[in-house]
Amino acid sequence: MRIGIYGYGNLGRGVEKGLALNPDLELVGVFTRRDPASVKTVSGAPVYAAEQAESFVGQIDVMILCGGSATDLPEMTPALARLFNVVDSFDTHARIPEHFDAVDRAAFQTGHTALISGGWDPGLFSLARLYMSAVLPDGKDYTFWGRGVSQGHSDAIRRIPGVKDARQYTVPIAEAVEQVRAGKQPELSTREKHLRECFVVAEEGADRALIEKTIREMPNYFADYDTTVTFITEEELKRDHSALPHGGQVIRSGKTSEENRHILEFSLKLDSNPEFTGSVLLACARAVGKMHVRGIFGCRTMFDVAPADLSPLSPEELRKKLL
Amino acid sequence: MRIGIYGYGNLGRGVEKGLALNPDLELVGVFTRRDPASVKTVSGAPVYAAEQAESFVGQIDVMILCGGSATDLPEMTPALARLFNVVDSFDTHARIPEHFDAVDRAAFQTGHTALISGGWDPGLFSLARLYMSAVLPDGKDYTFWGRGVSQGHSDAIRRIPGVKDARQYTVPIAEAVEQVRAGKQPELSTREKHLRECFVVAEEGADRALIEKTIREMPNYFADYDTTVTFITEEELKRDHSALPHGGQVIRSGKTSEENRHILEFSLKLDSNPEFTGSVLLACARAVGKMHVRGIFGCRTMFDVAPADLSPLSPEELRKKLL
């Protein structure tokens, strides 16, 4: 199956690295909105300008779109779905229905297959929530994220005047996780589930007290959380906070009768969020390619993909080896 | 959707209890090979003789087969798949390919939809192994079972002369689980993964030393494990060991690049194995009913079921609430 990577930041590089581990998938090239001459790929794969993508119609089976959810993907995915089968990792939960509709229309009209919101949340964690609620309907589930770097929150801090660089970790509160894991079904406020740790490099002479106050009071991002702010040097940031770990867990507890309670948990501990997300997108691309061959057009999510389609193994091998 | 339960032991009762929690599923009746007059259902649902099942063609959308894997299901599932859409929990891993073929033929020829090997292992644990290997191809996974009651091993002990009753617990070895959870990918022998705890009620005057020796040396069942044997009274067995808890975890660790390792885990802690398995079979029955309406005939496993089909929610609701 011939794969293209459209957008070459952390996620695009993650997809590229994952390709080496999937011998049935082959990288045709990387498409960038930057000057292609300025971009060097990890694997040495060729780099093309984004505008050249159209000339690759017929040479790429699935294009993996590695733009951001805020502004890139709402435009990019429907546009590319008119030319290619596509996969994206759109993760603005509230806007998924409208994104789905736009991509579905574009893909269906042109006979393409698209999958949006691939990755781990949305993605594997969504699947965990779906499977768990289907098999244990009388229950309650909880999702915890972290300890891991939130790029969105890190960016929000960087936009504060006087901030040179920043890294924000989302941290699940251990007591909350333990209560849920014990099957207690507590009511937890936002503040009781996660806390936020911020590491900030201030510009010389900046008002650190004001920066800290601005972070702590920032609506949506920090105001509803217990937030710690630690000022560090640029060298410390580089040395101690350059990785992008993440993870978390989905836990559901519930009953099948008065006497019998069950606890289900799916957890991830990831050294590199973009590499793991990229690896999930490759499995999604494989499924999209298979569905396309079967004549399934329009938009899908991981909810609609038969698990077998994500694997390079045949149905017979899967039943024999993994069932 | 109208459901029938065929076979009424622990699992059949588990399915019946689960039906109360799934308002879109309705129980038509229970079919038993015993005298129907001797069987009282938990919910008061009517009981019919197994031979009467054929007269319910057209009145039952999916029949859930609750027989045992050793001798019942290899005959029962293909036979019933000629009359109904069916779901079973066939769990003899080595014989799944031949069972699949027999059921596929019967269901396909008669325009029915069948799902075999539903439950949690095979079932949810199989799905965990499949998803995890698809999204993290360079890795290794481990399945641990327990602490929980193994019916097969309990039965094997009961067949020893001088044994009145017995309960066997499969227990994962904590150090092995911790090594795997730490991403170490150890090579583990059978003995290093699980131990077996046996609680035995001996007949009066039986040779306990011989019973213990017979258990410990039983090939396939116990010889490859560290096994403890504890003799208890009938009252103690009843008081302390009448529940059927189970559970375990699937853990996969692997890499996406030299630097970055990831650890994925899916775990279950179940108060009642048959009630939870029954609850999973109901979700499978829902999916079978939906696939049948779409004209998908023949045999499937949970590997082939789009997760959305297991849920009572619509695709739109799922995307909005769970993605």
Side-chain angles (χ1 to χ4, degrees):
Chain A
M1 202 173 285
R2 298 163 301 172
I3 303 291
I5 297 173
Y6 194 95
Y8 197 66
N10 285 327
L11 179 58
R13 275 190 297 273
V15 172
E16 186 187 11
K17 287 187 193 170
L19 274 156
L21 310 172
N22 290 280
D24 61 324
L25 308 178
E26 176 206 337
L27 180 57
V28 174
V30 165
F31 297 84
T32 179
R33 286 172 296 180
R34 288 173 280 166
D35 172 12
S38 74
V39 174
K40 213 182 131 33
T41 55
V42 179
S43 65
V47 183
Y48 304 101
E51 309 84 63
Q52 290 178 268
E54 192 157 0
S55 69
F56 283 83
V57 167
Q59 293 170 59
I60 287 174
D61 296 308
V62 184
M63 188 73 101
I64 301 181
L65 308 181
C66 301
S69 295
T71 54
D72 296 339
L73 296 175
E75 302 290 324
M76 195 185 276
T77 313
L80 273 292
R82 300 194 164 275
L83 302 172
F84 299 100
N85 301 316
V86 295
V87 169
D88 81 15
S89 61
F90 187 77
D91 67 358
T92 311
H93 287 262
R95 297 187 58 194
I96 284 175
E98 66 185 284
H99 186 57
F100 182 92
D101 289 341
V103 176
D104 190 46
R105 219 164 20 240
F108 193 81
Q109 284 170 0
T110 55
H112 291 112
T113 313
L115 184 145
I116 62 159
S117 303
W120 62 274
D121 200 355
L124 298 177
F125 274 16
S126 320
L127 286 171
R129 290 186 286 264
L130 168 46
Y131 277 112
M132 290 179 186
S133 62
V135 302
L136 192 63
D138 181 11
K140 189 169 158 74
D141 61 51
Y142 299 79
T143 302
F144 294 97
W145 297 274
R147 187 178 190 257
V149 173
S150 164
Q151 306 264 33
H153 287 77
S154 301
D155 289 344
I157 300 171
R158 281 189 207 105
R159 285 192 295 266
I160 297 172
V163 170
K164 199 166 177 186
D165 204 349
R167 198 65 116 207
Q168 194 270 185
Y169 294 89
T170 306
V171 185
I173 293 175
E175 300 78 45
V177 177
E178 284 317 310
Q179 276 187 50
V180 170
R181 204 172 264 156
K184 291 215 175 87
Q185 300 194 356
E187 289 297 329
L188 296 169
S189 67
T190 298
R191 193 178 300 273
E192 288 167 326
K193 287 183 72 188
H194 298 92
L195 55 86
R196 300 200 174 275
E197 290 177 359
C198 310
F199 295 89
V200 181
V201 181
E203 308 268 13
E204 237 185 271
D207 181 344
R208 296 186 171 200
L210 180 61
I211 291 173
E212 179 164 346
K213 187 172 183 299
T214 309
I215 294 173
R216 286 178 187 279
E217 295 178 356
M218 198 185 294
N220 302 319
Y221 285 87
F222 294 101
D224 299 334
Y225 298 84
D226 287 339
T227 300
T228 65
V229 179
T230 308
F231 289 94
I232 58 175
T233 65
E234 204 162 2
E235 293 68 40
E236 286 169 327
L237 188 87
K238 199 160 184 175
R239 186 190 67 203
D240 303 331
H241 303 284
S242 62
L244 294 168
H246 219 313
Q249 55 266 111
V250 177
I251 308 173
R252 184 176 181 91
S253 71
K255 294 181 299 184
T256 48
S257 64
E258 259 331 299
E259 310 82 53
N260 292 316
R261 177 170 290 280
H262 313 285
I263 300 163
L264 290 64
E265 177 167 348
F266 176 63
S267 68
L268 295 176
K269 222 177 116 196
L270 310 174
D271 276 358
S272 163
N273 184 358
E275 283 188 20
F276 184 72
T277 301
S279 193
V280 177
L281 294 186
L282 285 167
C284 292
R286 179 183 290 120
V288 162
K290 290 188 194 179
M291 292 191 291
H292 182 73
V293 168
R294 275 184 233 128
I296 297 171
F297 303 148
C299 190
R300 298 290 185 275
T301 73
M302 292 181 86
F303 288 169
D304 312 302
V305 174
D309 282 343
L310 298 167
S311 173
L313 300 181
S314 71
E316 291 76 18
E317 286 174 307
L318 288 172
R319 286 196 292 273
K320 208 171 157 182
K321 292 181 183 168
L322 299 182
L323 195 64
Chain B
M1 202 173 287
R2 299 162 302 171
I3 303 291
I5 297 174
Y6 194 95
Y8 196 65
N10 284 328
L11 179 58
R13 276 190 294 275
V15 172
E16 186 187 10
K17 287 187 193 169
L19 274 155
L21 310 173
N22 289 281
D24 60 326
L25 307 178
E26 176 205 337
L27 180 58
V28 173
V30 166
F31 297 84
T32 178
R33 286 171 297 178
R34 288 173 281 167
D35 172 12
S38 73
V39 174
K40 216 183 129 32
T41 55
V42 180
S43 65
V47 183
Y48 304 101
E51 309 83 63
Q52 290 178 271
E54 191 156 0
S55 69
F56 282 82
V57 168
Q59 293 170 58
I60 287 174
D61 296 309
V62 184
M63 187 72 100
I64 301 182
L65 308 181
C66 300
S69 294
T71 55
D72 296 339
L73 296 175
E75 302 290 325
M76 196 184 273
T77 312
L80 272 292
R82 299 195 165 274
L83 302 171
F84 299 99
N85 301 316
V86 296
V87 169
D88 82 15
S89 61
F90 187 77
D91 66 358
T92 310
H93 287 262
R95 297 186 59 194
I96 284 173
E98 65 185 287
H99 186 57
F100 183 92
D101 289 340
V103 176
D104 190 46
R105 219 162 22 238
F108 193 81
Q109 283 170 359
T110 56
H112 291 112
T113 313
L115 184 145
I116 64 160
S117 303
W120 60 275
D121 198 356
L124 298 178
F125 273 17
S126 320
L127 286 170
R129 289 185 287 262
L130 168 46
Y131 277 112
M132 289 177 186
S133 62
V135 302
L136 192 63
D138 181 11
K140 189 169 157 72
D141 61 50
Y142 298 79
T143 302
F144 293 97
W145 298 275
R147 185 178 190 253
V149 173
S150 163
Q151 306 264 32
H153 287 76
S154 302
D155 290 344
I157 300 172
R158 282 188 206 104
R159 284 192 295 266
I160 297 171
V163 170
K164 201 167 177 187
D165 205 349
R167 197 67 115 208
Q168 194 270 182
Y169 295 89
T170 306
V171 185
I173 292 176
E175 299 77 46
V177 178
E178 284 317 311
Q179 276 188 48
V180 170
R181 205 173 262 155
K184 292 214 176 87
Q185 300 195 356
E187 288 297 329
L188 296 169
S189 66
T190 299
R191 193 178 299 275
E192 288 168 328
K193 287 182 72 187
H194 297 91
L195 55 88
R196 300 200 174 274
E197 290 177 358
C198 312
F199 294 89
V200 181
V201 181
E203 308 268 12
E204 237 186 273
D207 181 343
R208 296 187 171 197
L210 180 62
I211 290 173
E212 180 164 344
K213 186 172 183 298
T214 309
I215 294 172
R216 285 179 187 279
E217 296 178 356
M218 198 184 295
N220 300 319
Y221 285 87
F222 295 101
D224 298 335
Y225 297 86
D226 287 338
T227 301
T228 65
V229 178
T230 308
F231 289 93
I232 58 174
T233 65
E234 205 163 359
E235 292 68 41
E236 287 169 327
L237 188 87
K238 201 161 181 173
R239 188 190 66 204
D240 302 330
H241 304 284
S242 61
L244 294 169
H246 220 312
Q249 53 266 111
V250 177
I251 308 173
R252 185 176 182 91
S253 71
K255 295 181 298 185
T256 48
S257 64
E258 258 333 296
E259 310 81 54
N260 292 314
R261 177 170 291 280
H262 313 286
I263 300 162
L264 291 63
E265 177 167 349
F266 177 62
S267 68
L268 295 175
K269 222 177 116 195
L270 311 174
D271 276 358
S272 164
N273 184 357
E275 283 188 19
F276 184 72
T277 302
S279 193
V280 177
L281 294 186
L282 285 166
C284 292
R286 179 183 290 119
V288 162
K290 290 188 193 177
M291 291 191 291
H292 182 73
V293 168
R294 274 184 232 130
I296 297 171
F297 304 147
C299 190
R300 297 291 186 273
T301 73
M302 293 181 85
F303 287 168
D304 312 302
V305 174
D309 281 343
L310 298 167
S311 172
L313 301 181
S314 71
E316 291 76 17
E317 285 174 307
L318 287 173
R319 285 195 294 272
K320 207 170 159 184
K321 292 181 183 170
L322 299 182
L323 196 63

